[in-house]
Amino acid sequence: MEVVGQLQKQYVDFITSLFREAYLDDQYVQLQKLQDDSNPEFVVEVVSIFFEDSEKLLNDLASSLLVSISLFWVFILCLRPSLLLMVVLFFLLFLFQLYSQQQVVDFKKVDGYVHQFKGSSSSVGAQRVKNACVTLRNFCEEKNLDGCSRYLNLVKQEFYLVKNKLETLLRVSITLW
Amino acid sequence: METNGFSSPRPDAFPAGLRVLVVDDDPTWLKILEKMLKKCSYEVTTCNLAREALDLLRERKDGFDIVISDVNMPDMDGFKLLEHVGLEMDLPVIMMSVDGETSRVMKGVQHGACDYLLKPIRMKELRNIWQHVFRKRIQEVKDIESHEGLEEIQMMGNSMEQSDDGYLFCGVDLISGKKRKDTDNKQDDRHYGDPSSVKKARVVWTVELHQKFVKAVNQFGFDIGPKKILDSMGVPWLTRENVASHLQKYRLYLSRLQKENELKASFGGMKQSDISKDTPGNVCLQNSSNASRNSVTNGSSGICGSKVPIKNVDSKICVEDMKVASVQMAEPKEALIGDITDPQKSSNSRTGLNHSFGQIGLDVKYEPKILTQYSWTEVPPVQFEQEHMPHFQSQSWSTEVRPVHFKPEQKPHVQSESSFSHLPLARNHIQVDCRTEPILSHHPIPSTNEKDKRADIGPNCIKSRRQGIGIVTSVESTAQLFSVQPKSHLTHCKEFEPIPCSMWNMKNHSLEKIPLNDVDSSQRNLILGTGSGFRLLDEELRRYSPQGDFHPQNAGFENIESFDYSNQGIIADIPPLLYDSLNFDYGNPSETMEYPVIDQGLFIA
């Protein structure tokens, strides 16, 4: 059918563009090759596992960068000082945190999560995510909190992008084949 | 996790049916790998926790042919798992990681991995993993052939001749079985099957078995032969080559631990608590428990801990030596003691700092060598020490411990000294190389409180090291240098003008490079007289302990050990930092470098 033909063409174009823009790399092709009649939903399964695991990993990652900020605030709130005092305390604590955050954040832990995420993303061929992870790791090594937070956002962004695209791709391929 | 029942390998079409255990904390990879391996017609079992994997392996003693494991796992380090599998089950292990840095790969190989794959992994890479299984089998066959064949022939005599021949023949056939396999010869010969289907009863080293093994090793010393271990273990079904191969692995494992610990110590500022855990006596002989690690570390603190640019040969020697030396506990003790006494002696008369890393265990062997290195003319190197130092030690330890004993008085048996006299530069450098012992001896640390000492020594050592290369070369009076207790020594060192660490490094390097003809000969002498040497050292120590604080041998010994350990750590630490400045060749000592040292120094008596 013409519609099917068109859809197929669109699919091919789409996936080609994904490869071209490095959203996906050769590993995805390998996954496709692994899929066979005995396991026709293989790629979908793998990708679903990847999404699930990654969400969790990203949450851990984000929380590991935030660490103890909340503790200070909780402490302050518990004290219920006067408003003025609270303001002053907030300010002081904020300053304190600014300087101490570097020590408070466990960069090793963050690095561990990033490494894990890098491995995960390489499993499905999410190249851009992987590259963002590499850069994020460098920031972790330098203990650059600012750089880390920035790049974490980038990693998240890339992840959601590729997730979107993969979902579309898979939906189309299921429809078509 | 997909589990299979106890399955035996399919006799046909190797490598199909290869039983693979995959361990990875990433569920995505686990799924992908499972699929890939299934496509290669392997039997796959997956596991996402290392502990579970170990349990599985122990449960099904003969249930797997090969293990594939990720490097970074939350519950256990992949390298640890690798070691356990190697020690207990003797299965080939393949590591994988998304991180392909050379250092990691090297670590993997060092821990005994058969291969190191980079993620993302391709199918074709997985297709070939059977080669590792095959290779191992062939090696086992060869082992059996050589060990058992020989033993049997020797032990059984003529009456067994026929069976021996048959056995040997079997071994030969097993090897050539490969060819048969290649030619697709499906002879299912019961006597000689293919190596691929030969399943010689694999010995699974259970925890109890391993503990028996370690006890036996501890009893006799590390350097004993498998036969003795086998006899003392009293396990009837165990064969000599099982023990031999296990012993080899165990030694590798220990040496690795030592290196790791030493690095940790040097970089982490000496974890004294670890060091102080075991007495020197127990050094080197430990279970694979943490305790053993600590003790081993202690014992082998001196061992190639430094990642200094030692020549490869040196480091290799180092490792081997470690294994060898670790056995001799008594000797190291003596040596250490001897070293201590040396400093004491030399303190009186010499200017430089003599360091002797009282490397426990191995150290003993190394120490003598190190001592020989000194070139201070004024300080006659402890000759007896020299005699007993294995030469390789000097090579491998050159970076760390260069014997810098400056003793004005000439000891009759020390001949290497004279040989050194012609190397002024060397001397300087050597001196720079503070020995832990002298340092130890210098610092008055109450022997009773070993832990404290160690703790003190640690930071002190580090400090002294750093500064102190200067110490070695510095000219302070020997009297200052030697006090029994390391602490004082360290503080003393601090007083010294810190000679650039480079000096020290130079020394190390130069020492290594020294075309020491004299040294060689003296080294050889040393190698010979280890036993007597140690006794001598002992005596010397006793004789010379100036401050009478030289506490009971053991106490002192321990101190020294810990101190040495820390020192070595320090030393190990320094070289990498200063490596760049090194490039000193003994043969062509840079004049400029030399002079400052010489000026400072002063040595002598």
Side-chain angles (χ1 to χ4, degrees):
Chain A
M1 286 207 320
E2 184 127 339
V3 174
V4 172
Q6 253 187 348
L7 204 52
Q8 280 178 340
K9 185 174 176 306
Q10 277 184 342
Y11 174 84
V12 168
D13 286 345
F14 183 55
I15 201 172
T16 317
S17 75
L18 286 184
F19 282 115
R20 197 185 32 231
E21 293 171 25
Y23 281 103
L24 293 176
D25 63 17
D26 186 50
Q27 177 65 11
Y28 190 76
V29 176
Q30 298 283 320
L31 284 188
Q32 288 180 317
K33 284 188 189 166
L34 281 178
Q35 180 162 300
D36 56 17
D37 291 336
S38 70
N39 195 347
E41 302 281 304
F42 178 68
V43 181
V44 175
E45 284 170 14
V46 172
V47 173
S48 322
I49 297 177
F50 168 64
F51 289 156
E52 208 180 296
D53 191 50
S54 300
E55 296 275 359
K56 193 168 137 312
L57 207 47
L58 281 174
N59 284 337
D60 290 340
L61 197 52
S63 64
S64 70
L65 271 180
L66 290 178
V67 180
S68 67
I69 292 176
S70 52
L71 290 175
F72 287 119
W73 303 128
V74 168
F75 172 70
I76 291 177
L77 289 171
C78 285
L79 289 182
R80 293 175 204 238
S82 73
L83 196 60
L84 180 64
L85 191 57
M86 256 171 84
V87 168
V88 169
L89 276 174
F90 275 157
F91 182 66
L92 286 175
L93 274 168
F94 176 72
L95 283 179
F96 173 67
Q97 277 180 36
L98 270 184
Y99 290 114
S100 67
Q101 256 172 6
Q102 294 263 352
Q103 292 79 23
V104 164
V105 171
D106 186 355
F107 281 100
K108 257 196 133 183
K109 206 173 173 194
V110 177
D111 185 75
Y113 286 132
V114 178
H115 182 83
Q116 240 185 297
F117 196 54
K118 183 180 165 201
S120 256
S121 56
S122 68
S123 73
V124 295
Q127 199 181 7
R128 281 166 82 138
V129 178
K130 188 169 92 162
N131 292 340
C133 284
V134 172
T135 324
L136 179 53
R137 270 194 105 187
N138 289 338
F139 280 115
C140 283
E141 274 177 34
E142 300 169 15
K143 302 212 191 270
N144 182 343
L145 186 63
D146 186 45
C148 276
S149 343
R150 266 192 294 121
Y151 261 82
L152 175 60
N153 286 334
L154 184 65
V155 167
K156 268 192 188 166
Q157 208 184 317
E158 290 291 348
F159 170 70
Y160 285 118
L161 264 175
V162 83
K163 179 173 179 198
N164 233 330
K165 298 194 187 278
L166 275 173
E167 279 173 343
T168 315
L169 196 66
L170 289 171
R171 228 180 303 127
V172 173
S173 69
I174 289 173
T175 325
L176 283 178
W177 292 289
Chain B
M1 168 169 38
E2 185 188 297
T3 54
N4 299 316
F6 283 87
S7 55
S8 50
R10 275 189 265 167
D12 58 298
F14 179 85
L18 201 67
R19 295 156 308 161
V20 186
L21 175 67
V22 184
V23 190
D24 196 335
D25 62 322
D26 187 338
T28 328
W29 271 114
L30 220 47
K31 190 158 176 76
I32 296 177
L33 287 169
E34 188 187 356
K35 182 77 177 152
M36 283 190 184
L37 290 166
K38 283 220 180 110
K39 278 219 155 182
C40 299
S41 326
Y42 295 151
E43 274 180 24
V44 188
T45 311
T46 60
C47 196
N48 68 350
L49 286 176
R51 302 230 174 261
E52 268 177 46
L54 267 181
D55 290 339
L56 253 183
L57 283 166
R58 287 175 185 146
E59 212 183 296
R60 303 194 210 166
K61 306 228 168 125
D62 225 5
F64 296 101
D65 295 315
I66 187 167
V67 178
I68 303 184
S69 166
D70 188 55
V71 167
N72 302 85
M73 287 192 286
D75 63 331
M76 193 197 287
D77 188 25
F79 296 120
K80 280 220 179 68
L81 175 65
L82 168 57
E83 275 176 357
H84 280 294
V85 173
L87 270 177
E88 291 179 33
M89 290 122 214
D90 193 23
L91 287 175
V93 183
I94 295 181
M95 304 302 291
M96 12 169 230
S97 178
V98 66
D99 178 10
E101 258 173 56
T102 311
S103 59
R104 301 296 277 174
V105 178
M106 193 171 312
K107 197 173 176 195
V109 175
Q110 278 174 343
H111 282 72
C114 290
D115 203 354
Y116 193 106
L117 302 177
L118 286 193
K119 286 178 172 176
I121 300 185
R122 296 278 181 274
M123 267 277 287
K124 50 191 170 196
E125 294 173 5
L126 287 182
R127 243 186 240 286
N128 284 335
I129 61 173
W130 61 266
Q131 60 176 292
H132 304 293
V133 180
F134 194 70
R135 194 177 297 127
K136 209 146 195 145
R137 286 187 189 165
I138 291 186
Q139 280 172 357
E140 278 170 3
V141 164
K142 279 190 190 158
D143 277 349
I144 297 174
E145 183 184 84
S146 59
H147 286 120
E148 283 185 4
L150 251 138
E151 268 184 8
E152 286 181 355
I153 288 175
Q154 285 165 4
M155 291 169 49
M156 304 211 185
N158 290 344
S159 57
M160 301 298 286
E161 202 174 359
Q162 301 215 339
S163 61
D164 288 350
D165 287 343
Y167 193 75
L168 281 175
F169 187 56
C170 173
V172 170
D173 256 10
L174 285 170
I175 304 273
S176 61
K178 177 182 168 195
K179 295 188 190 142
R180 278 190 280 152
K181 178 176 90 77
D182 290 346
T183 58
D184 210 20
N185 187 344
K186 296 211 172 165
Q187 276 180 21
D188 216 1
D189 207 336
R190 266 194 323 120
H191 292 300
Y192 315 131
D194 269 321
S196 60
S197 58
V198 158
K199 269 319 225 170
K200 117 180 135 71
R202 190 189 296 286
V203 171
V204 177
W205 283 86
T206 61
V207 177
E208 314 153 359
L209 207 56
H210 184 68
Q211 271 175 2
K212 274 194 191 160
F213 168 80
V214 175
K215 215 178 2 164
V217 171
N218 284 353
Q219 250 182 312
F220 294 105
F222 197 61
D223 200 13
I224 70 172
K227 198 79 184 77
K228 271 206 186 126
I229 300 178
L230 180 62
D231 291 338
S232 79
M233 275 176 76
V235 178
W237 50 269
L238 204 60
T239 64
R240 194 191 145 276
E241 80 273 357
N242 293 140
V243 176
S245 64
H246 191 74
L247 181 63
Q248 184 183 37
K249 272 184 243 133
Y250 185 62
R251 283 179 179 157
L252 277 173
Y253 169 73
L254 287 180
S255 66
R256 233 178 284 129
L257 286 176
Q258 285 168 348
K259 278 192 205 162
E260 278 173 15
N261 283 338
E262 192 165 328
L263 277 174
K264 280 186 212 151
S266 59
F267 294 123
M270 329 288 290
K271 289 166 192 169
Q272 295 305 327
S273 58
D274 286 347
I275 295 171
S276 55
K277 265 185 201 165
D278 298 291
T279 59
N282 293 332
V283 166
C284 310
L285 303 180
Q286 301 291 341
N287 295 339
S288 50
S289 60
N290 284 336
S292 64
R293 272 184 220 125
N294 291 332
S295 59
V296 169
T297 307
N298 293 340
S300 57
S301 59
I303 301 175
C304 315
S306 59
K307 293 228 163 157
V308 178
I310 297 178
K311 292 174 188 167
N312 290 338
V313 175
D314 292 345
S315 47
K316 279 179 207 157
I317 294 173
C318 202
V319 173
E320 289 165 5
D321 289 339
M322 279 190 4
K323 290 184 210 155
V324 176
S326 56
V327 179
Q328 295 140 9
M329 304 204 298
E331 287 182 342
K333 282 185 192 171
E334 291 182 15
L336 283 175
I337 298 172
D339 287 339
I340 298 176
T341 51
D342 266 351
Q344 291 168 358
K345 289 188 213 170
S346 45
S347 62
N348 298 328
S349 49
R350 67 169 135 142
T351 55
L353 297 177
N354 289 335
H355 248 328
S356 40
F357 276 94
Q359 298 163 6
I360 309 172
L362 290 184
D363 308 338
V364 175
K365 286 194 183 176
Y366 291 112
E367 282 182 319
K369 196 52 185 185
I370 298 174
L371 292 174
T372 52
Q373 297 293 338
Y374 13 107
S375 58
W376 278 119
T377 47
E378 54 262 13
V379 180
V382 180
Q383 298 184 347
F384 57 78
E385 288 170 349
Q386 288 178 346
E387 285 164 11
H388 306 295
M389 303 236 192
H391 73 259
F392 57 69
Q393 191 173 27
S394 58
Q395 289 167 3
S396 53
W397 299 106
S398 59
T399 56
E400 297 177 22
V401 187
R402 286 301 173 186
V404 188
H405 290 260
F406 301 97
K407 293 187 184 181
E409 62 265 11
Q410 291 288 333
K411 289 184 190 171
H413 48 281
V414 175
Q415 288 130 20
S416 52
E417 240 191 32
S418 50
S419 62
F420 284 104
S421 57
H422 68 280
L423 297 170
L425 186 63
R427 274 185 243 130
N428 293 336
H429 299 294
I430 294 177
Q431 287 186 337
V432 172
D433 212 40
C434 291
R435 287 311 191 71
T436 53
E437 286 184 356
I439 292 180
L440 279 175
S441 58
H442 293 309
H443 298 277
I445 292 180
S447 57
T448 53
N449 200 346
E450 289 166 9
K451 281 206 171 160
D452 290 349
K453 273 183 202 163
R454 295 204 188 96
D456 290 336
I457 293 174
N460 284 339
C461 291
I462 298 173
K463 288 182 211 153
S464 61
R465 270 296 139 122
R466 299 245 153 96
Q467 307 183 341
I469 296 189
I471 296 175
V472 177
T473 53
S474 68
V475 191
E476 318 276 327
S477 66
T478 54
Q480 291 176 330
L481 293 178
F482 295 95
S483 62
V484 178
Q485 286 149 359
K487 199 175 198 175
S488 57
H489 181 78
L490 286 170
T491 49
H492 180 65
C493 291
K494 285 174 199 164
E495 294 160 11
F496 293 136
E497 225 179 287
I499 292 183
C501 288
S502 57
M503 294 297 290
W504 184 76
N505 286 334
M506 283 195 318
K507 190 168 89 82
N508 290 336
H509 272 280
S510 50
L511 283 176
E512 283 178 326
K513 298 175 192 171
I514 296 176
L516 304 166
N517 307 329
D518 308 298
V519 176
D520 286 342
S521 55
S522 54
Q523 290 172 354
R524 272 173 229 132
N525 292 336
L526 289 176
I527 298 172
L528 299 178
T530 14
S532 52
F534 293 141
R535 265 171 253 128
L536 274 172
L537 288 173
D538 235 345
E539 290 167 23
E540 298 252 12
L541 280 173
R542 297 209 182 104
R543 255 187 292 146
Y544 290 98
S545 63
Q547 298 170 356
D549 321 329
F550 206 47
H551 336 263
Q553 239 182 3
N554 285 341
F557 188 65
E558 282 167 1
N559 295 336
I560 296 172
E561 282 180 0
S562 55
F563 186 86
D564 287 337
Y565 179 92
S566 53
N567 277 339
Q568 285 180 346
I570 299 172
I571 291 186
D573 194 18
I574 297 178
L577 301 175
L578 303 171
Y579 187 44
D580 293 339
S581 54
L582 290 182
N583 293 334
F584 220 88
D585 191 64
Y586 242 123
N588 307 312
S590 69
E591 303 281 327
T592 50
M593 293 290 276
E594 226 177 324
Y595 293 144
V597 177
I598 295 178
D599 289 344
Q600 292 173 354
L602 344 237
F603 0 98
I604 330 171

